[in-house]
Amino acid sequence: MKTLHPFTLGTSPVAVAHQALNEQSPAIAAMQHIDDHHLWSLPQEMSVADARKRLLSAPGIVFLVTDASGRWQGVVGASELAPDRILTMVSKTVTPFSLTLADVMQPRDKLQAVTLNELQFATVVDVLRTLSSTAARRLLVVDADDKLCGIIDADDITEQLSLPAKPKQSLAAEIVHQLHESHKLAVNP
């Protein structure tokens, strides 16, 4: 048996491995690794409100969404949990508190993937070009055994590179119209 010798960090410098991302960085540097999916997974029955709290504590993370038996069914990140997206789903019978991750996640069968081998020989700009040509905002990364090993998110890359984000169309009018229709609101003259 081996005895470990713990010590306090005190004034010892601790380096955290973090690479600044640029367009010529290896594409793998932009990948969120899925080493232990239980650390980055949420149950599909979790409420959207609770998931938003988790997302705020782990910015930039894309979570796997799992069913009751632990099999992953999809992914959810900031774009799926954005307030403007959630408001478009609100109606008389559906409230933000009754929505679950199963209602808002990107289903597994709608996601696209690349192989880890292909990714190792690509740059961040190659990934952005691929994502813009497919209209996808995410790519799953699978190894030679088709095991999920990472996720690449275009919004995360855009933020890290400080690139201008794609302009989002204003949904305010659409949300007001939907609330009007779903709640039969009358406009006072």
Side-chain angles (χ1 to χ4, degrees):
M1 181 186 292
K2 181 177 181 174
T3 302
L4 302 177
H5 302 287
F7 61 93
T8 59
L9 292 175
T11 59
S12 300
V14 177
V16 176
H18 180 71
Q19 178 182 354
L21 205 59
N22 64 52
E23 291 181 351
Q24 296 310 313
S25 295
I28 203 157
M31 182 178 82
Q32 172 189 324
H33 294 270
I34 306 294
D35 298 321
D36 179 2
H37 78 87
H38 296 292
L39 295 176
W40 307 112
S41 67
L42 300 173
Q44 67 183 8
E45 64 275 356
M46 178 182 267
S47 74
V48 166
D50 288 341
R52 284 188 50 77
K53 290 176 194 171
R54 280 292 293 277
L55 188 69
L56 291 174
S57 68
I61 297 295
V62 175
F63 291 97
L64 298 178
V65 179
T66 58
D67 63 16
S69 63
R71 288 186 303 262
W72 75 279
Q73 301 299 313
V75 296
V76 68
S79 57
E80 288 79 26
L81 298 174
D84 56 344
R85 182 165 188 268
I86 300 305
L87 283 175
T88 61
M89 299 176 169
V90 173
S91 69
K92 266 189 171 179
T93 57
V94 177
T95 69
F97 301 103
S98 65
L99 287 172
T100 66
L101 292 183
D103 299 320
V104 300
M105 71 178 182
Q106 270 190 294
R108 179 180 181 164
D109 60 352
K110 301 274 193 249
L111 296 166
Q112 295 184 338
V114 295
T115 64
L116 183 59
N117 187 43
E118 183 178 24
L119 193 65
Q120 290 176 337
F121 301 104
T123 64
V124 169
V125 76
D126 295 330
V127 170
L128 288 173
R129 197 174 300 123
T130 301
L131 287 168
S132 68
S133 71
T134 63
R137 298 303 297 155
R138 289 195 185 99
L139 286 174
L140 300 178
V141 182
V142 296
D143 64 14
D145 298 324
D146 287 332
K147 179 182 173 196
L148 179 66
C149 57
I151 300 173
I152 295 179
D153 187 80
D155 294 334
D156 185 45
I157 293 173
T158 301
E159 184 178 316
Q160 287 188 53
L161 294 178
S162 300
L163 297 174
K166 283 188 176 180
K168 293 182 180 178
Q169 295 177 352
S170 173
L171 295 176
E174 184 182 327
I175 293 168
V176 169
H177 175 73
Q178 183 177 350
L179 288 172
H180 250 331
E181 293 299 311
S182 65
H183 293 318
K184 306 292 185 223
L185 299 177
V187 178
N188 292 334

